[in-house]
Amino acid sequence: MKELIIILMSSVLIDNYVLTKTLGICPFLGVSKKLDQAVGMGLSVIFVMIMATCATWPIQTYLLTPNGLDYLQTIVFILVIAALVQFIEIVLKKFVPSLHKSLGVYLPLITTNCAVLGVTIDNFIQEYSFVQSLVYSVGSGIGFLLAMVLFSGVRSRLDSPSVPKAFKGLPSTLIAASIVSLAFTGLGGIIENLFK
C-alpha cells in the first residue's frame, strides 16, 4: 500500500508529465485559457490514460512480449489510444455538447498527446504490475489536471495591462509555464523522504 501511495504522489507532483517531463504541452498551452476547458481536458485525459492502461497492459503482457513483438509497442499503443479518444469524442458530443464544442480541435489532439502514450510506455519501463500501472495512470492524469488548472489561473493574470507589450501572448505564457514547472521540480525527493 505504501508503494502505491508513493507511485501516486510521485506521478502527481514530482514526475508531472506536463511540468517536469514536458509531455502534453500542446493541450496544456492551447486549452488552459479558461478554467472550464482546462478541467474538461484534464478529466478527458485522466479517463483516456486509465482506459489506455487497461487496454495496453494486457496487450503488451500477453500478446506482444510473449510473441517477441515488442517492436510494435508504439504503433499498437497509438492505435488503442486513437480508438479510445474517438469513443470519448462520441460520448462528449452526445451527452456534453457544450464541453465538446469548447474543447474543439484539442480533443482529437489527445490521440497524439505524448503524455498519454508516455504513461502507457512508462508502465513497462518501470516494470509496474497492472495495479501499479493503474495507480500511475491515475496519478499522471491527476497531475495533468492539476497542471492545467494551476496554469489556467496563471494565464488569467497574463492578460492584465501591466504586462509589457513585447511579452504579451506566447512569450509571457512560456515564461509563466517555466516558472510553474520550476515550482514542481523543487518537489523532487520530498515524497520519498516522507514515506521512508
Side-chain angles (χ1 to χ4, degrees), residues 131-150:
V131 173
Q132 290 172 328
S133 296
L134 283 177
V135 170
Y136 184 71
S137 298
V138 169
S140 298
I142 292 170
F144 187 88
L145 174 64
L146 178 65
M148 294 286 288
V149 169
L150 285 175

Side-chain angles (χ1 to χ4, degrees), residues 103-126:
L103 291 175
V105 71
Y106 295 102
L107 185 59
L109 283 178
I110 296 176
T111 302
T112 58
N113 188 341
C114 50
V116 177
L117 181 62
V119 167
T120 57
I121 292 175
D122 274 353
N123 287 330
F124 295 101
I125 291 172
Q126 301 292 333

Side-chain angles (χ1 to χ4, degrees), residues 7-82:
I7 291 171
L8 180 69
M9 297 304 291
S10 293
S11 61
V12 171
L13 298 174
I14 298 167
D15 295 327
N16 188 295
Y17 269 83
V18 176
L19 298 175
T20 59
K21 294 185 177 185
T22 62
L23 296 174
I25 296 296
C26 183
F28 175 69
L29 294 176
V31 189
S32 61
K33 289 180 183 176
K34 295 181 183 175
L35 181 62
D36 59 338
Q37 291 178 353
V39 170
M41 176 60 82
L43 293 174
S44 299
V45 168
I46 290 172
F47 180 74
V48 171
M49 283 183 176
I50 293 169
M51 297 307 293
T53 297
C54 289
T56 57
W57 196 91
I59 289 171
Q60 179 72 36
T61 304
Y62 300 115
L63 181 66
L64 298 180
T65 301
N67 295 312
L69 300 172
D70 291 326
Y71 61 92
L72 293 175
Q73 180 188 55
T74 304
I75 293 170
V76 170
F77 286 12
I78 287 173
L79 290 173
V80 168
I81 293 166

Side-chain angles (χ1 to χ4, degrees), residues 68-196:
L69 300 172
D70 291 326
Y71 61 92
L72 293 175
Q73 180 188 55
T74 304
I75 293 170
V76 170
F77 286 12
I78 287 173
L79 290 173
V80 168
I81 293 166
L84 290 170
V85 170
Q86 289 302 314
F87 172 73
I88 288 175
E89 190 170 12
I90 290 168
V91 168
L92 285 179
K93 193 173 187 177
K94 175 93 172 152
F95 297 108
V96 193
S98 60
L99 179 59
H100 179 266
K101 186 176 180 183
S102 70
L103 291 175
V105 71
Y106 295 102
L107 185 59
L109 283 178
I110 296 176
T111 302
T112 58
N113 188 341
C114 50
V116 177
L117 181 62
V119 167
T120 57
I121 292 175
D122 274 353
N123 287 330
F124 295 101
I125 291 172
Q126 301 292 333
E127 298 180 355
Y128 286 149
S129 68
F130 183 71
V131 173
Q132 290 172 328
S133 296
L134 283 177
V135 170
Y136 184 71
S137 298
V138 169
S140 298
I142 292 170
F144 187 88
L145 174 64
L146 178 65
M148 294 286 288
V149 169
L150 285 175
F151 199 61
S152 71
V154 170
R155 284 190 79 173
S156 68
R157 304 258 181 188
L158 292 177
D159 294 331
S160 71
S162 62
V163 176
K165 187 176 181 180
F167 288 102
K168 286 203 182 275
L170 187 60
S172 62
T173 301
L174 293 174
I175 291 168
S178 65
I179 292 170
V180 173
S181 177
L182 281 172
F184 271 72
T185 304
L187 296 172
I190 292 175
I191 301 299
E192 287 85 0
N193 289 332
L194 285 175
F195 290 100
K196 278 187 178 177

